[in-house]
Amino acid sequence: MTSPTFWGPDFEALEQQDPEIAQLLLAELDRQRTGLQLIASENLTSPAVLAAFGSVLSNKYAEGYPGRRYYGGCEVVDRAEELAINRAKELFGAEHANVQPHSGASANLAAYAAFTKPGDKVLALSLAQGGHLTHGSPVNFSGQWFNPIHYTVRKDTEFIDYDEVRALAIEHRPRMIIAGATAYPRLVDFAIFREIADEVGAILMVDAAHFIGLVAGKAIPSPVPYADVVCFTTHKVLRGPRGGMILSKAEHAKEIDKAVFPKMQGGPLMNAVAAKAVVLKECATKPYQNYAAQVIKNAQTLAAELNTHGLRPVSGGTDTHLVLIDLQGAGVTGKEAERRCDISKITLNKNSIPYDPQPPMISSGIRVGTPSITTQGMQEAQMAEVATLIADTVKETDDNKLKAVAARVNELAAKFPAYPRA
Ligand code: DSN
């Protein structure tokens, strides 16, 4: 087992009191250190963020907002929340920030609560084409309480079909249009979405969970000037604690705040709020900007390298941190590729590709992201090797041979350790 040098004395207390959980924490640290973490929505957050997240701020109830709480003793956590809000507004040039959502799905639910009523029409990219559960999936509140209409990506280019977005908006006059996705490797044209929303009098909500870190690092254009509301998670490329956040125009501030509390959530997780403040400070630095740019360079190089192995990147490549791979040419399903990757210690997820002939639990694709390996310090030079390891894995039909690939994965990971020992 490896030693978690960054956790300090608290970990020793945990080890003594609850060795079973302590061992699991160590095992997970070991897993993160020894494999390749390629899940596009994950990252390796800093020890400073982890320290704030695992702090006594977890003990405090603080329903309400700074200066307007329903509990006493909030003078310290008020300052933490104010720091998080001010840093978010400054980093993103936003008029208003709410840092309390517990997750991205909670942030999205708050946007629905602020702007829509059950039964309203909402126009979004379908889950099957790269959207999100909260964008109108029939198994989610958004598909059950609202009336979703879904736009698609073009079959020929696999880019969003903006003509279709406009046509559907004009036909259905949705109350809210959602831009943003979880498995779309390209930039989203927020200016076109704004134009369309204005044409039909709709609210424009951008679900920026996947790419907000690239925006924070000034590596891609920001949705903030265009959107009424921008919802996101704080733990993906942004590299913060697990949680959510909402940015909005000042005119929507009251509605958004009321939607988060008391309409949708109770007490905020003040430890998470403080940890969000910590990451927002990190994101305003040049090293973070360099990181964000490198995440994209790595993803683009990885996409090109995977293509040379016959693993086709959907839409021909990527502008962001993720690559969606069509495995149909390799004769393996997403499900089986994910299983093989688990054996070789490459952690990624199966994913539907646009117009996928397979059901979602099988799928014809895998989604690969570079946030974590870039945090570990890998650059373009390593992407050829990462691509070879993925290709050797997904094409390997003999599980025993995958153990040899795992040894190569471990060798590469050891050169770029997650949470390096002091
Ligand atoms: N679960 C996230 C993802 O992996 O993209 C979306 O919420």
Side-chain angles (χ1 to χ4, degrees):
M1 265 317 161
T2 50
S3 143
T5 48
F6 57 92
W7 275 330
D10 292 350
F11 186 76
E12 282 164 28
L14 175 65
E15 257 181 325
Q16 278 174 16
Q17 187 182 318
D18 192 337
E20 280 166 289
I21 286 293
Q23 284 308 305
L24 290 177
L25 265 60
L26 288 175
E28 175 58 15
L29 178 61
D30 207 52
R31 190 194 68 77
Q32 292 183 17
R33 278 177 169 161
T34 53
L36 275 179
Q37 309 308 323
L38 296 179
I39 291 189
S41 49
E42 291 181 355
N43 210 333
L44 305 166
T45 198
S46 71
V49 168
L50 290 177
F53 203 59
S55 70
V56 293
L57 271 65
S58 170
N59 298 336
K60 190 72 197 92
Y61 249 122
E63 284 177 353
Y65 290 99
R68 295 175 286 133
R69 305 283 190 187
Y70 289 84
Y71 291 84
C74 288
E75 63 277 7
V76 177
V77 292
D78 271 7
R79 280 158 57 200
E81 185 162 350
E82 278 160 1
L83 273 175
I85 291 169
N86 291 336
R87 287 176 185 173
K89 282 162 71 175
E90 188 164 341
L91 181 67
F92 295 110
E95 293 172 8
H96 178 67
N98 187 306
V99 298
Q100 293 191 4
H102 299 331
S103 69
S106 302
N108 290 355
L109 176 54
Y112 279 88
F115 297 117
T116 62
K117 296 214 166 3
D120 276 353
K121 291 179 185 168
V122 176
L123 178 61
L125 185 65
S126 72
L127 181 60
Q129 299 242 325
H132 186 249
L133 277 168
T134 55
H135 299 180
S137 162
V139 297
N140 182 261
F141 77 87
S142 55
Q144 294 177 3
W145 299 347
F146 298 89
N147 188 355
I149 298 132
H150 285 131
Y151 56 86
T152 58
V153 299
R154 288 172 56 121
K155 266 196 176 135
D156 53 352
T157 61
E158 297 171 316
F159 279 55
I160 290 171
D161 187 341
Y162 293 98
D163 293 336
E164 185 193 32
V165 178
R166 176 171 273 116
L168 289 171
I170 290 169
E171 183 187 345
H172 296 281
R173 318 289 298 186
R175 172 71 186 131
M176 188 161 80
I177 299 177
I178 302 179
T182 65
Y184 183 68
R186 295 301 182 171
L187 296 180
V188 176
D189 192 331
F190 306 117
I192 295 186
F193 270 106
R194 178 74 263 166
E195 260 176 45
I196 296 170
D198 286 344
E199 271 173 53
V200 300
I203 289 287
L204 177 59
M205 190 265 251
V206 173
D207 182 341
H210 259 269
F211 57 80
I212 195 70
L214 302 175
V215 174
K218 303 195 187 317
I220 64 168
S222 171
V224 171
Y226 300 98
D228 293 287
V229 58
V230 179
C231 301
F232 53 92
T233 48
T234 48
H235 50 265
K236 297 191 170 85
V237 186
L238 194 76
R239 211 163 55 182
R242 196 151 284 274
M245 204 180 286
I246 303 177
L247 307 173
S248 77
K249 301 282 183 225
E251 66 188 278
H252 303 310
K254 266 196 180 149
E255 280 311 309
I256 289 292
D257 284 355
K258 278 195 289 183
V260 174
F261 172 84
K263 213 183 250 188
M264 203 251 319
Q265 283 186 180
L269 312 176
M270 295 314 298
N271 54 322
V273 167
K276 288 171 195 174
V278 173
V279 79
L280 291 166
K281 186 171 179 184
E282 289 177 2
C283 288
T285 62
K286 190 72 190 148
Y288 183 83
Q289 289 171 9
N290 295 340
Y291 163 73
Q294 190 64 48
V295 165
I296 299 176
K297 284 186 224 160
N298 283 354
Q300 290 176 333
T301 309
L302 184 58
E305 293 289 344
L306 287 166
N307 204 19
T308 66
H309 290 279
L311 302 175
R312 183 186 78 87
V314 166
S315 83
T318 181
D319 303 318
T320 63
H321 60 298
L322 75 86
V323 187
L324 186 59
I325 292 294
D326 174 0
L327 294 169
Q328 291 175 110
V332 59
T333 64
K335 183 180 177 192
E336 175 60 12
E338 183 187 295
R339 190 192 68 79
R340 291 176 189 175
C341 284
D342 273 342
I343 299 174
S344 69
K345 304 294 177 208
I346 297 174
T347 305
L348 45 69
N349 63 282
K350 63 179 169 291
N351 213 105
S352 295
I353 58 169
Y355 306 100
D356 202 320
Q358 298 281 3
M361 282 307 286
I362 309 285
S363 85
S364 302
I366 47 172
R367 190 183 64 163
V368 180
T370 52
S372 294
I373 56 173
T374 308
T375 294
Q376 287 174 251
M378 293 191 203
Q379 299 193 327
E380 291 98 312
Q382 283 73 49
M383 293 306 113
E385 198 177 345
V386 172
T388 303
L389 290 166
I390 294 171
D392 287 355
T393 299
V394 301
K395 293 177 186 175
E396 181 58 70
T397 52
D398 181 348
D399 283 4
N400 288 320
K401 292 195 180 147
L402 289 172
K403 303 218 170 90
V405 183
R408 285 160 53 205
V409 164
N410 189 230
E411 214 174 292
L412 175 61
K415 287 188 204 148
F416 299 87
Y419 300 108
R421 292 160 185 85

